[in-house]
Amino acid sequence: MQYAVRGSVVIAADQIASDLETNPEKYPFKEIIFTNIGNPHQVGQKCLTWPRQVLALCDLPAEVGVDHPSIGQLFPKDAIARAREIKDALGVAGTGAYSHSKGHIHFRKDVARFIEERDGGVVCDPECLFLTNGASSGINMVLTALIADENSGVMIPIPQYPIYSATIDILNGKKVGYFLDEKKGWDLNIEELERSLAEAKEKGINVNSFVLINPGNPTGQVLSEKAVQDIVTFCSKHNLVLLADEVYQENVYKGEFVSCKKAAHDLGLIDENKIELVSFHSCSKGLFGECGRRGGYMELVGFEPEVIEEIYKLASSGLCAGLAGQIMLSLMVRGPQPGDESYESHQKERNDIYDSLKRRSKTVSDGLDAISGFSCEPTQGAMYCFPSVQMPPKAIQEAEEKGISPDTLYALSLLEYSGICVVPASGFGQEEGRYGFRTTFLPSEDKIANAVELFRKHHESFCEKYN
């Protein structure tokens, strides 16, 4: 099993960071810039104020929190009211007790309303929702249920976020890759999907599911409504369970996010019971960036009650998702309302984060694309750029001699030259002969602009060394 976003380059970066604490002059930089993972708060994104206020009040005993006579001098009225509502819903158990294994019903109802509003009124049943420790634990549960033996196949995009490839490997299933089209902005091609599925079937693989990541990770594309409709139609046609990874649905800088559920509904597939769909979302991404809270959900659509019962058994084995994550998820999907004391400040904080992310996405994608020997598609969504890099033949040869991929050699060179920690593209999968890396654009605007210049200088130095 390989999990590139925490792989050898990151281990080396951690060691260098430790070295810098004891010997600041050892490297030609003062700090490691971690752009290897979508972890916004780690690299300086400020937390949103109102959700943290509510969460703090939920955790505090009432006598020193919501019921303290001076509480109104410290917290806004709407934060106090929301915390009181949550505390009343939790009852005597509070935030320190286990909840229902699907998540507390109060929070699941909030998520259901959010989904219905997002999708124009398409009904969401809270009993088909599972609150999870981030999207990752939900993905793990569903793949565990789907992979019965070593002949079970899951279609995954290439490139893809390695939680899918790693989990499939752990469960001893078969990865069935379909290539995204880099020349067309990482778009999907139905002919490619049919080719991949047909080849897998010829090998005797029992393909039972399909993974879609939209907006894309690591590729940053946002699929059109037609593309999403094509995918749900393909899955319905071939009786494939659709796993819709939609955790970046708020991180859209060009185009418009269309959920798989809405696309399936608009085509009549849900009403006609012609699709099985699991969608995932999280408070780790979007504008909250609350990765450490481990808050997420998955919604099951079109499954028989017996299947949902089996998923429930899997969820029960982990008892429940953490309450802090459940609360944060509720606050993400139902924030302050117009007229509330915190509404304008909360919206301003969200807008400031979004606007900055949009600027940084362009700074990095344009900057990388302008480097001689680089090609980088414009980022439409998510938090990443995924450039291809022309690799000198001597670098490829040295990598082979060292038993590592050429883009791992490149990423380690970049780290030692600049302190920038990226993930080799080979960790996500790519076409034969392509090399590159994934970088986030989450560090501050000043740092990310400087990073683009360091990318350029390093590439010139790298090519000079190996040419």
Side-chain angles (χ1 to χ4, degrees), residues 154-442:
V154 182
M155 294 187 70
I156 58 174
I158 299 176
Q160 51 87 38
Y161 183 59
I163 188 173
Y164 295 100
S165 54
T167 305
I168 294 167
D169 286 344
I170 288 172
L171 296 171
N172 204 28
K174 290 287 194 301
K175 302 185 292 287
V176 179
Y178 63 89
F179 286 95
L180 304 178
D181 191 340
E182 184 170 9
K183 294 179 181 178
K184 294 184 178 179
W186 299 109
D187 203 0
L188 284 163
N189 183 304
I190 292 298
E191 288 74 22
E192 166 62 14
L193 305 186
E194 295 285 0
R195 177 207 62 78
S196 174
L197 179 59
E199 286 187 4
K201 287 182 176 180
E202 287 175 6
K203 296 175 183 177
I205 299 172
N206 177 28
V207 182
N208 62 16
S209 48
F210 182 100
V211 173
L212 177 68
I213 307 175
N214 181 43
N217 178 10
T219 45
Q221 85 280 18
V222 177
L223 296 179
S224 67
E225 181 177 22
K226 182 182 183 305
V228 179
Q229 289 179 342
D230 286 345
I231 293 299
V232 298
T233 300
F234 175 82
C235 291
S236 175
K237 172 185 173 183
H238 294 289
N239 196 29
L240 302 175
V241 175
L242 173 54
L243 282 65
D245 185 332
E246 300 174 337
V247 301
Y248 297 100
Q249 60 189 260
E250 282 194 284
N251 301 105
V252 175
Y253 317 118
K254 183 179 180 181
E256 182 178 350
F257 170 76
V258 177
S259 74
C260 285
K261 184 180 182 184
K262 186 176 189 306
H265 172 269
D266 290 349
L267 293 172
L269 299 176
I270 294 177
D271 289 343
E272 296 171 11
N273 198 27
K274 290 184 177 180
I275 192 166
E276 293 175 309
L277 163 68
V278 189
S279 60
F280 304 95
H281 196 13
S282 169
C283 66
S284 298
K285 312 304 178 185
L287 306 178
F288 269 52
E290 293 277 4
C291 299
R293 303 296 170 183
R294 309 310 299 132
Y297 75 74
M298 63 179 180
E299 182 190 12
L300 278 63
V301 176
F303 291 88
E304 295 297 324
E306 295 80 8
V307 177
I308 295 177
E309 183 63 27
E310 293 303 312
I311 298 291
Y312 175 67
K313 290 177 184 178
L314 285 171
S316 298
S317 69
L319 297 175
C320 72
L323 263 292
Q326 293 188 41
I327 293 170
M328 191 60 72
L329 190 71
S330 166
L331 300 175
M332 181 184 78
V333 299
R334 179 163 71 92
Q337 300 301 301
D340 289 347
E341 184 176 348
S342 301
Y343 177 77
E344 290 187 4
S345 60
H346 183 67
Q347 290 301 114
K348 183 180 185 305
E349 288 179 354
R350 286 171 54 88
N351 292 340
D352 287 349
I353 292 170
Y354 174 84
D355 291 343
S356 179
L357 283 170
K358 186 174 181 179
R359 289 193 297 269
R360 281 176 274 164
S361 73
K362 183 172 175 56
T363 296
V364 176
S365 61
D366 288 357
L368 293 178
D369 193 55
I371 298 173
S372 178
F374 274 54
S375 176
C376 186
E377 290 297 313
T379 300
Q380 299 172 324
M383 298 176 171
Y384 314 101
C385 292
F386 195 66
S388 66
V389 179
Q390 293 178 9
M391 202 70 64
K394 289 183 180 179
I396 297 172
Q397 181 180 344
E398 181 173 318
E400 290 174 351
E401 292 170 355
K402 291 183 175 181
I404 59 177
S405 69
D407 39 21
T408 298
L409 178 77
Y410 189 91
L412 288 169
S413 172
L414 173 67
L415 173 66
E416 293 171 0
Y417 179 92
S418 67
I420 300 173
C421 178
V422 299
V423 186
S426 53
F428 302 89
Q430 57 191 337
E431 290 187 342
E432 187 76 22
R434 183 194 189 275
Y435 308 105
F437 57 85
R438 187 193 77 168
T439 178
T440 73
F441 41 81
L442 293 174

Side-chain angles (χ1 to χ4, degrees), residues 141-149 152-154 208-210 241 243 303:
M141 274 190 277
V142 173
L143 288 175
T144 299
L146 286 167
I147 299 174
D149 53 44
S152 299
V154 182
N208 62 16
S209 48
F210 182 100
V241 175
L243 282 65
F303 291 88

